[in-house]
Amino acid sequence: MTSAARSTGYRRQSDTGLSRMEIMEGAALCFEARGFSATSIDEVAARIGSTKGRIYHHYGSKGELFLDVYRTGMMMNFDAIRPFLESGLSAMDTLKAVLKAHVLCVIRTKPFQNVVGQGVDMLRQGTMPAREHAELLQLAQLRDAYAEHFRTVFEAARAEGEIDYRNIKIALNSVFMCINGPIVWFTPRENQTETEIEALADECVLYAVRLLGHTGQRKATPPEGASA
């Protein structure tokens, strides 16, 4: 588990030794607990045992800090699935691998992923201050690029007759609701083992591939040129 996924008590440190990641970890926990609007820079500073002046040394506003947490959460997702995208595995094994990698990333970096979810809602509702709204739009494009990797993997597995769906957008949205579920229901337990976390991820993957009609038996692939 990363420090961001635990209830941590940060050791007070000199402001000069404070890193952006340490600030983001503390901010992610605060945003997760109280949301963007209710969280203050003072609370983030208290969480990490620093001064708010040092946070402002790195970030010009709370919105800028929120967006950096959002961006970092998305890059954590990209880093998690990247090794499996060109791994040489079969299409179905690749699908299962990227699904599991995503779920494990959600579990291990849950506060960051919660912020990503908040950012999606803020864009939809138009609640981000105007000066940060344009960057929020760019981050939405980053999410779309991430989903495109899954679209490619879905289509490869479908072409091999392992899964089936009628509408790729509905398929993607349904699967992401499943594999993002731990953002809502997962709470780390003290002494929780890696084996237990792996088992949770495997269960999420099982449900996700069932949503795509996978039963372990290949479906008949229509002849080339046949109408759907």
Side-chain angles (χ1 to χ4, degrees), residues 19-133:
S19 71
R20 291 175 73 95
M21 179 55 75
E22 287 166 322
I23 294 171
M24 284 192 290
E25 287 180 336
L29 289 165
C30 291
F31 290 134
E32 179 184 41
R34 292 173 53 77
F36 174 78
S37 296
T39 296
S40 68
I41 292 294
D42 288 297
E43 288 176 281
V44 176
R47 167 76 71 168
I48 62 178
S50 183
T51 63
K52 67 178 182 180
R54 190 57 185 176
I55 295 176
Y56 281 121
H57 174 76
H58 290 280
Y59 297 100
S61 67
K62 181 177 72 170
E64 186 179 321
L65 173 55
F66 180 90
L67 291 169
D68 206 14
V69 174
Y70 183 149
R71 184 184 306 101
T72 299
M74 283 305 309
M75 296 316 298
M76 289 170 171
N77 288 333
F78 276 104
D79 289 344
I81 70 169
R82 187 174 291 114
F84 304 103
L85 295 176
E86 298 180 1
S87 61
L89 296 171
S90 69
M92 193 63 207
D93 285 342
T94 299
L95 174 58
K96 290 179 178 178
V98 296
L99 291 172
K100 184 172 181 177
H102 179 89
V103 175
L104 288 173
C105 186
V106 167
I107 289 173
R108 291 167 177 158
T109 66
K110 181 171 172 275
F112 282 83
Q113 305 309 323
N114 188 289
V115 168
V116 171
Q118 289 184 42
V120 173
D121 290 338
M122 290 169 72
L123 180 61
R124 186 181 300 118
Q125 297 163 8
T127 54
M128 177 62 80
R131 62 183 177 273
E132 282 103 11
H133 185 77

Side-chain angles (χ1 to χ4, degrees), residues 189-203:
R189 300 194 317 270
E190 188 176 356
N191 299 322
Q192 190 166 31
T193 67
E194 191 64 22
T195 299
E196 291 172 325
I197 292 172
E198 290 268 349
L200 288 175
D202 286 335
E203 190 79 359

Side-chain angles (χ1 to χ4, degrees), residues 154-198:
F154 280 25
E155 290 176 346
R158 186 171 185 253
E160 291 188 358
E162 296 283 5
I163 62 174
D164 195 18
Y165 49 82
R166 294 184 179 180
N167 185 301
I168 183 63
K169 186 173 182 179
I170 293 174
L172 284 167
N173 286 337
S174 298
V175 168
F176 272 114
M177 286 178 65
C178 179
I179 62 177
N180 283 331
I183 295 173
V184 177
W185 54 256
F186 176 76
T187 302
R189 300 194 317 270
E190 188 176 356
N191 299 322
Q192 190 166 31
T193 67
E194 191 64 22
T195 299
E196 291 172 325
I197 292 172
E198 290 268 349

